[in-house]
Amino acid sequence: MNQQLSYRTELDNLSIEGIPEIPTALSERLNQYQNVRSAFFSGWLQHTEGMLILTRFADTFQLHTVNHPGGDRQQISFFKEPISGATICPNPNYNGFIFVKDIGGNERSQLYWYDWNTSKHQLITDGESVNGRIVWNNAGNQFVYASTRRNKRDFDLYLTHLDQLNQATILLEVEGSWLPLDFSPDDRYLLLVKYEAITNSKLFLYDTLSKNLQPLFPQYQHAAFHSATWLPDGENILVITDCNSEFLQLCHFNLKTQVLTLVTKDINWDVQYLTRHNNRQEMAFVTNEDGISKAYLLNPNTLQYTPVENLPIGIIVNMRFHPIEHKLAISLGTSANPTDVYEYNLDTKHLLRWTFSEVGGLNTKQFNQPKLIHYDTFDETKSGSGIKRQIPAFCYYPDAKAPHKTPLPVVIIIHGGPESQHHPSFSTFINYLTHELGIVVIAPNIRGSSGYGKSYLTLDNGYLREDSVRDIGALLDWIETQPELDVNRVAVYGGSYGGYMVLASLCHYSSRLRCGIDVVGISNFVTFLTNTADYRKDLRRVEYGDERDPQMRAFLEKISPLNNAHQIHKPLFVIQGANDPR
């Protein structure tokens, strides 16, 4: 090792050896990118004109209030751990809200009640289980949520009255992962979903008086039901499902006639979520159209929908109707600007920005929109069709005016999940690579990604796992055909399942890659499935395979990168927690 690379130092809990000292100017410039902030809508304030939002001023996301568009953000929570969500009580007689956070990153989320009158909070769950998916009743004095409190494995349903915050009663004891969706207008019935896999879930109707649990679509054994809400009459519901389609579509279902009718027949993309006004007289939904969010307003009486006009191209994180005024709150981000909170006037169709998140002094107008490409991969859409399957990918190029020499180096960023999707949203990491270093970033949505139909979603399940790795090989083939890209300088980067893809790509394509960065990736599927939390095991086995089956176990051991590390011949940087089961 030469003298320059023998550098060693201690930095906090890191021992750094063999890495040259990072120039101060580079660190300072990178620090600007790393301190870009964003803001997310959490609720309309009850007694004032204002919003509750999540944003970060220090190290973690905390709750703030904003009283008017462009107003100062007033921080009201001060925890070391980030707050992951909040929901304001819809009943003005109870002046407060529920927020969610874990402790020390243990992923065991707890529920807390915050009282506006006293500015104090209190823990309302047991401090040990996993808790989430809060649904208020129509009266706004009770809420139901899912919790693993009973055995740390199954998500039972608990009911809490705001007058007795520490006396949650078990509403329904179940096996598996169950989530509440919506109370009926008279608060008697509750829509529930049992989640088994991203492509397989069951919808149920629960009578809180008789305790009867009724499956609503027993004839669909292999379909997904992602959301459902009641219409005002209490006899009809809207449901997001793929039971008769490749995509998740919005459907109308009459509980008496049992007739299911497609609503979004003109949209051949996934409907991501549905939101409604408290009075159920106004609704809206968001679709994922080739990675881009589109919003629509829905008349619940006629089931007619119209696009929300004058929204920029980007990713909509959430939307919420104002309880009194005719407007929507929208959390929206683009590839050039981080997520911020906006108000959309439903009468004037005017978009008004409420938060202006700091961007580290950067000129975001210099950041380019990505280019969506589709490249051929190794197999056909249908065997014998002769039509190559195409993989969508977003390509981020440096500014053409910047003084970067071609051919340009490439970083392939592979998303986690794998049942996830890369969206062209704001990324400080991607913008730093492209704008400062002149690197082209390609983010493919390889097979197994969501958003492209349920068949595409399952193309990497079980024994098909390494077909997704072959999609990266096909991307390397595409890069070779692009004269502006340097085929000799291609790196792979990914986290969690994306980290597995980095390791697997280096095992299979070391000769074609320059290096790789694996962030908390899965290096052995057997140890991952053995050591992950009990409530996750069956959910992950649907995707990866059941390691308890000897044949599948042998296959998972065979393809696990940890057992094929000898095939990696290029530099690899691994970021991994010492206690991480992956």
Side-chain angles (χ1 to χ4, degrees):
M1 182 179 293
N2 63 38
Q3 200 66 28
Q4 182 186 14
L5 294 183
S6 63
Y7 174 81
R8 178 187 177 93
T9 188
E10 303 293 326
L11 179 64
D12 296 327
N13 63 337
L14 297 176
S15 294
I16 302 173
E17 183 174 4
I19 299 176
E21 188 171 4
I22 298 172
T24 301
L26 189 151
S27 295
E28 290 177 349
R29 184 58 170 167
L30 181 59
N31 189 52
Q32 286 184 267
Y33 283 82
Q34 292 179 323
N35 278 285
V36 169
R37 299 190 176 110
S38 55
F40 301 88
F41 178 82
S42 292
W44 295 98
L45 300 183
Q46 288 177 339
H47 301 294
T48 63
E49 280 298 316
M51 293 180 176
L52 181 68
I53 66 165
L54 270 175
T55 190
R56 176 184 65 83
F57 274 167
D59 294 330
T60 61
F61 273 89
Q62 298 297 322
L63 289 164
H64 299 69
T65 59
V66 182
N67 291 327
H68 56 82
D72 292 336
R73 284 160 284 179
Q74 303 295 323
Q75 188 168 342
I76 61 173
S77 68
F78 301 86
F79 299 103
K80 292 182 179 180
E81 299 86 1
I83 290 178
S84 58
T87 174
I88 293 178
C89 174
N91 188 327
N93 295 321
Y94 297 91
N95 194 19
F97 61 87
I98 298 170
F99 66 89
V100 184
K101 77 174 186 69
D102 66 6
I103 299 174
N106 61 10
E107 299 183 357
R108 295 195 291 271
S109 51
Q110 304 301 316
L111 307 186
Y112 298 79
W113 171 256
Y114 184 96
D115 190 317
W116 287 112
N117 298 320
T118 63
S119 300
K120 294 181 179 180
H121 69 274
Q122 67 178 97
L123 177 68
I124 56 178
T125 45
D126 65 352
E128 298 178 353
S129 56
V130 180
N131 306 272
R133 186 59 76 91
I134 301 160
V135 174
W136 294 98
N137 68 346
N138 292 270
N141 60 355
Q142 298 183 86
F143 60 94
V144 64
Y145 63 96
S147 175
T148 62
R149 179 183 303 188
R150 177 171 54 88
N151 59 12
K152 304 299 185 290
R153 182 184 67 249
D154 300 308
F155 281 91
D156 300 323
L157 299 179
Y158 287 79
L159 182 68
T160 297
H161 196 291
L162 289 180
D163 292 332
Q164 299 172 313
L165 282 170
N166 293 317
Q167 298 183 28
T169 58
I170 190 163
L171 187 66
L172 182 64
E173 188 175 302
V174 292
E175 292 183 359
S177 296
W178 291 66
L179 297 172
L181 298 178
D182 193 25
F183 276 100
S184 60
D186 62 0
D187 280 337
R188 174 173 176 174
Y189 298 96
L190 188 62
L191 292 170
L192 310 171
V193 64
K194 181 184 181 184
Y195 183 89
E196 297 176 353
I198 194 169
T199 56
N200 191 26
S201 48
K202 305 289 189 296
L203 193 67
F204 290 83
L205 178 67
Y206 181 65
D207 188 333
T208 60
L209 294 182
S210 69
K211 310 302 181 184
N212 179 55
L213 184 65
Q214 173 190 348
L216 289 182
F217 300 93
Q219 69 272 35
Y220 297 108
Q221 293 301 308
H222 300 284
F225 295 88
H226 279 209
S227 183
T229 192
W230 294 86
L231 289 173
D233 59 12
E235 297 181 357
N236 296 274
I237 65 172
L238 290 175
V239 57
I240 297 175
T241 179
D242 64 2
C243 62
N244 290 317
S245 170
E246 271 291 309
F247 293 93
L248 292 163
Q249 297 180 309
L250 186 63
C251 296
H252 170 271
F253 182 67
N254 185 284
L255 292 167
K256 288 186 175 181
T257 65
Q258 299 287 293
V259 174
L260 183 69
T261 306
L262 177 62
V263 175
T264 53
K265 55 182 178 297
D266 299 325
I267 303 175
N268 202 30
W269 293 99
D270 279 349
V271 176
Q272 286 189 301
Y273 66 86
L274 174 71
T275 186
R276 63 168 176 82
H277 194 284
N278 289 343
N279 63 16
R280 303 179 192 272
Q281 293 298 326
E282 292 182 287
M283 296 186 179
F285 63 91
V286 174
T287 59
N288 170 7
E289 302 186 17
D290 220 350
I292 306 294
S293 294
K294 300 288 181 66
Y296 298 83
L297 298 174
L298 175 72
N299 185 321
N301 299 307
T302 65
L303 300 181
Q304 299 297 308
Y305 55 89
T306 56
V308 176
E309 301 176 11
N310 302 323
L311 294 184
I313 296 174
I315 304 303
I316 297 172
V317 179
N318 59 25
M319 296 194 307
R320 206 79 56 83
F321 285 95
H322 192 281
I324 300 173
E325 300 182 21
H326 202 217
K327 56 189 180 182
L328 273 171
I330 303 176
S331 300
L332 185 148
T334 70
S335 58
N337 289 286
T339 300
D340 264 312
V341 181
Y342 298 79
E343 170 194 311
Y344 183 81
N345 189 301
L346 294 166
D347 295 320
T348 66
K349 299 179 173 52
H350 176 67
L351 188 68
L352 179 63
R353 189 170 179 176
W354 271 66
T355 62
F356 295 80
S357 293
E358 295 79 4
V359 290
L362 301 172
N363 182 4
T364 58
K365 293 180 180 179
Q366 296 177 337
F367 300 148
N368 294 330
Q369 292 280 349
K371 177 184 178 182
L372 176 61
I373 67 158
H374 297 81
Y375 65 89
D376 291 345
T377 190
F378 66 92
D379 61 345
E380 299 174 345
T381 55
K382 187 176 182 180
S383 181
S385 68
I387 302 174
K388 284 288 188 179
R389 188 185 309 280
Q390 291 199 316
I391 305 298
F394 288 95
C395 297
Y396 299 79
Y397 290 90
D399 191 335
K401 300 177 183 178
H404 302 304
K405 294 182 179 180
T406 55
L408 298 169
V410 178
V411 171
I412 300 172
I413 295 182
I414 310 170
H415 68 70
E419 305 124 324
S420 185
Q421 182 182 16
H422 177 85
H423 297 277
S425 55
F426 186 84
S427 167
T428 55
F429 180 53
I430 291 177
N431 285 321
Y432 182 81
L433 293 179
T434 58
H435 191 66
E436 300 291 333
L437 303 182
I439 294 173
V440 175
V441 173
I442 304 178
N445 282 315
I446 55 178
R447 69 188 64 215
S449 301
S450 59
Y452 303 97
K454 58 187 177 185
S455 296
Y456 192 83
L457 193 63
T458 60
L459 285 175
D460 66 340
N461 284 6
Y463 291 107
L464 302 176
R465 177 59 43 211
E466 289 194 322
D467 282 358
S468 59
V469 184
R470 296 176 70 184
D471 287 340
I472 300 300
L475 178 55
L476 295 175
D477 294 339
W478 181 84
I479 291 172
E480 288 184 356
T481 68
Q482 308 302 305
E484 75 278 13
L485 304 182
D486 190 343
V487 71
N488 295 312
R489 291 190 294 165
V490 180
V492 280
Y493 174 98
S496 192
Y497 177 79
Y500 156 74
M501 288 295 299
V502 167
L503 298 173
S505 296
L506 282 168
C507 288
H508 286 270
Y509 306 113
S510 256
S511 63
R512 305 176 68 183
L513 294 169
R514 192 68 170 264
C515 60
I517 300 175
D518 156 34
V519 184
V520 298
I522 300 172
S523 60
N524 186 299
F525 285 107
V526 173
T527 57
F528 168 76
L529 290 167
T530 302
N531 296 317
T532 195
D534 287 344
Y535 74 90
R536 296 189 69 218
K537 287 182 177 179
D538 287 340
L539 300 177
R540 293 295 80 207
R541 284 166 178 152
V542 173
E543 171 70 35
Y544 299 134
D546 193 335
E547 85 288 358
R548 296 167 299 182
D549 174 75
Q551 186 175 353
M552 176 56 72
R553 188 184 188 93
F555 171 77
L556 293 175
E557 291 282 12
K558 179 183 176 182
I559 69 168
S560 289
L562 192 63
N563 298 326
N564 293 281
H566 60 281
Q567 298 181 41
I568 300 177
H569 305 294
K570 296 296 173 64
L572 169 65
F573 187 74
V574 177
I575 302 170
Q576 197 88 33
N579 299 321
D580 194 323
R582 297 173 184 83

